[in-house]
Amino acid sequence: HLSVIFFFLGVIGIFTFGYLLVRIHFLNKEMRLNDANFSWFIPPVSHLIIPVLGTCLLDVYWAGTALASVFFVISMVALGVGFFNFLFVGSMVWRRYVCGTIPQGNLAPTIMIGIAPTAIMVVFLIKFIEAIEASHGTLFGINFAAVFPFIKISAAILWGFSFWWLFLVIILVTHYIKIKEHPLGFSWWAYTFPLEAFTVSTGLLAKCVAPYFFRGALLGLNTLAMATWVVVVFATIKWLESGAFFKPQH
């Protein structure tokens, strides 16, 4: 099945590049505090996507099969790697923002990446519930159905952090705009995927927790995501037409 092939190729690629980046961070003696920025969240986010895909495969295709245990173990390993790396990397970047200087303007959009890890974990938790339901409430003899309420509350808590982060993004980006340090560039695409991940997490959460609130939030986030895409696409086209892409960046 192609889904299995692509899943394993993705796992191999993500873990390989994850190890390479950690090796660079550990062995590069020129690494400094002010090198840290929220683009460092990309490897943890990549690892967190693995359990989302793994649970989707469990839910749709492979529940009750021999591959189910393989998907489950790989997903749990990737979840652990992604979650704890999110904490470790987040502490380093946070320290840079507090004790160092904030990144230059062309890195301002990377702040939005901070919304993605907890949003993706929300997606994983809800998809995990759906995968367990596809296995009739149990997996490997464990009755996960008994902890569904705890999982839903945990998902709501993680969503709350992403919601808080969205306002942090607004505050910091407003600062960059005020000091005229928010130049056009490909980095603006960092506004799109994390916001979409947050929007998806909101839609999934609306199925099982406070539906009236989350459906309203989903409407607002869909509108914001669409507006963001329009602005980023046309801004990128304008930037490319201006020839700025071919000018050296300092």
Side-chain angles (χ1 to χ4, degrees):
H1 201 286
L2 283 177
S3 61
V4 177
I5 295 173
F6 286 122
F7 176 78
F8 283 109
L9 287 175
V11 168
I12 293 170
I14 288 170
F15 272 93
T16 299
F17 284 105
Y19 276 117
L20 287 174
L21 288 171
V22 170
R23 183 180 184 277
I24 292 171
H25 286 165
F26 281 12
L27 300 182
N28 186 353
K29 302 303 181 182
E30 298 181 1
M31 194 72 67
R32 297 292 181 267
L33 174 65
N34 282 344
D35 292 328
N37 62 80
F38 286 110
S39 67
W40 286 18
F41 272 156
I42 294 176
V45 166
S46 300
H47 285 82
L48 289 172
I49 291 174
I50 292 175
V52 173
L53 298 177
T55 50
C56 286
L57 290 173
L58 279 174
D59 176 27
V60 179
Y61 298 112
W62 304 99
T65 67
L67 274 175
S69 59
V70 178
F71 290 135
F72 180 79
V73 171
I74 292 175
S75 295
M76 293 303 103
V77 171
L79 177 64
V81 174
F83 174 72
F84 286 104
N85 271 280
F86 163 57
L87 297 181
F88 299 153
V89 172
S91 64
M92 290 188 288
V93 179
W94 195 270
R95 183 171 183 269
R96 181 255 170 93
Y97 271 72
V98 174
C99 300
T101 59
I102 62 174
Q104 57 189 5
N106 63 335
L107 290 175
T110 65
I111 300 166
M112 180 65 89
I113 301 175
I115 207 174
T118 45
I120 293 173
M121 282 188 273
V122 172
V123 176
F124 160 70
L125 289 175
I126 303 303
K127 298 305 293 184
F128 180 73
I129 289 176
E130 294 176 356
I132 298 302
E133 288 175 340
S135 301
H136 309 292
T138 61
L139 193 63
F140 314 123
I142 303 173
N143 182 18
F144 286 100
V147 296
F148 279 180
F150 174 76
I151 294 176
K152 293 176 181 179
I153 295 301
S154 298
I157 292 171
L158 292 169
W159 185 91
F161 179 81
S162 291
F163 183 69
W164 175 84
W165 195 275
L166 180 61
F167 284 93
L168 177 63
V169 171
I170 294 171
I171 292 170
L172 291 176
V173 170
T174 300
H175 168 74
Y176 278 106
I177 293 173
K178 282 184 177 180
I179 63 173
K180 298 181 179 180
E181 284 282 338
H182 196 253
L184 285 171
F186 283 127
S187 62
W188 276 39
W189 286 91
Y191 287 127
T192 57
F193 166 73
L195 182 57
E196 290 162 0
F198 184 46
T199 303
V200 171
S201 71
T202 305
L204 289 172
L205 203 55
K207 295 180 179 180
C208 54
V209 178
Y212 292 109
F213 172 81
F214 284 109
R215 285 171 187 166
L218 179 61
L219 177 62
L221 287 170
N222 271 318
T223 303
L224 178 60
M226 185 178 297
T228 300
W229 264 95
V230 170
V231 170
V232 170
V233 167
F234 283 99
T236 301
I237 293 172
K238 178 182 177 182
W239 178 65
L240 291 173
E241 288 178 340
S242 70
F245 173 71
F246 302 100
K247 297 177 183 177
Q249 300 293 315
H250 300 286

